[in-house]
Amino acid sequence: MLMISRQLEILEILKKQKSVSVAELSRKLFASEPTVRRDLAYLEKQGYLKRVYGGAILGGAPDREIPYEIRSGEQEDAKAMIARRAAAYLHKGDVVFLDGSSSAARMVEPIKEIGDILVVTSGAKTAIALAEAGIRVISTGGQMRTRSFTYVGNHAEACVRSMRADTVFFSCRGLSDDGEMTDVSIDEINLRRAMLERARVKILLCDSSKFGKQYMYSLGYRENLDAVISETTETNSKSRKGDAP
């Protein structure tokens, strides 16, 4: 099992059990105890758990910003499939907003294939990937969140509000059973609100692991979007001529 996958699994186990021993993790993850201890040390340093004698206890993981390195390793196959489905909403000549999520970062490849698209993004790593692919890109700038490498704050929001986009592709941490989109960062929520206000077509990229989950800050409800795309389903709330059904 890859290191990122192990660490994600450790966090999932702790969310359910609140505490776990090194020996139990070693059995469940098919990893040696020294390997598990190194993973626990890293996750403790990031502020997700607290090591105790013989194991670890939950230390705020559900409500903390997940580092980009970990987020980008989550649900990789699902995110790739979501990006392929979302490509149907891209058109030559479009202006596109991408938030700083790892799901939106997967749109780089389909955008590269279509070309002739201008992208405005709050994701620093996404902006670099787009530039390397030869895509015209504008970074929102602003205050960078050091774990997620995303820009937020008044400067980023002002940049977004000075423009109009054809489509926004964005994600969130949870999509509740009644369709409420939520996250743990009010700064990310505020920037996404600005993008939603200034984009004509609104597309949520949401893998199925986020279904049924709810966090502190609300971004609104899926009924106000044009489509919600996961690896298992695609729901269209509104229609746009020329878009996928």
Side-chain angles (χ1 to χ4, degrees):
M1 182 182 292
L2 295 175
M3 179 180 66
I4 289 176
S5 299
R6 273 199 322 273
Q7 292 171 356
L8 289 170
E9 185 63 25
I10 289 170
L11 292 179
E12 287 301 317
I13 291 170
L14 277 172
K15 287 178 188 177
K16 295 175 183 177
Q17 301 181 193
K18 310 303 180 187
S19 66
V20 68
S21 70
V22 170
E24 181 182 355
L25 287 173
S26 179
R27 289 194 303 272
K28 288 184 175 181
L29 301 176
F30 301 101
S32 68
E33 292 191 6
T35 295
V36 169
R37 290 192 184 95
R38 285 194 294 271
D39 287 335
L40 294 179
Y42 173 81
L43 292 169
E44 182 180 48
K45 185 178 180 180
Q46 296 297 320
Y48 290 98
L49 55 80
K50 180 177 177 59
R51 284 186 294 170
V52 296
Y53 183 76
I57 59 176
L58 192 63
D63 299 318
R64 290 185 64 86
E65 178 186 0
I66 299 176
Y68 186 87
E69 291 80 3
I70 292 181
R71 286 191 297 118
S72 62
E74 294 179 301
Q75 301 292 319
E76 289 183 289
D77 291 342
K79 290 174 183 177
M81 181 176 292
I82 289 169
R84 288 195 295 272
R85 289 182 169 180
Y89 293 85
L90 293 170
H91 305 85
K92 284 185 178 294
D94 275 355
V95 176
V96 170
F97 286 151
L98 296 181
D99 74 353
S101 66
S102 57
S103 297
R106 291 297 184 125
M107 295 301 298
V108 171
E109 191 59 35
I111 288 172
K112 177 183 176 182
E113 291 177 3
I114 292 174
D116 191 25
I117 290 175
L118 173 62
V119 179
V120 181
T121 182
S122 58
K125 287 184 177 288
T126 303
I128 291 171
L130 287 162
E132 290 176 340
I135 300 299
R136 291 182 299 151
V137 57
I138 296 173
S139 172
T140 64
Q143 179 183 347
M144 182 183 286
R145 303 184 77 206
T146 55
R147 290 188 177 187
S148 61
F149 301 104
T150 58
Y151 294 110
V152 295
N154 293 336
H155 183 93
E157 292 171 32
C159 175
V160 168
R161 289 198 169 97
S162 71
M163 304 177 186
R164 286 281 186 187
D166 295 287
T167 307
V168 56
F169 297 96
F170 71 103
S171 191
C172 61
R173 185 74 71 89
L175 182 64
S176 67
D177 293 335
D178 64 351
E180 186 176 20
M181 302 173 287
T182 57
D183 213 305
V184 299
S185 168
I186 188 61
D187 291 327
E188 294 278 12
I189 287 287
N190 287 339
L191 185 57
R192 286 168 181 153
R193 283 194 185 120
M195 288 182 169
L196 289 167
E197 289 170 5
R198 303 297 290 180
R200 187 157 56 94
V201 177
K202 305 165 181 62
I203 310 293
L204 174 64
L205 312 176
C206 185
D207 68 76
S208 60
S209 70
K210 299 175 181 179
F211 292 172
K213 295 182 179 179
Q214 195 166 33
Y215 297 90
M216 182 177 296
Y217 300 109
S218 175
L219 184 56
Y221 287 84
R222 64 186 298 167
E223 64 192 34
N224 297 315
L225 305 178
D226 292 272
V228 177
I229 302 176
S230 77
E231 77 279 18
T232 57
T233 60
E234 179 177 344
T235 303
N236 296 76
S237 302
K238 304 174 184 178
S239 62
R240 177 190 178 195
K241 185 177 180 181
D243 279 337

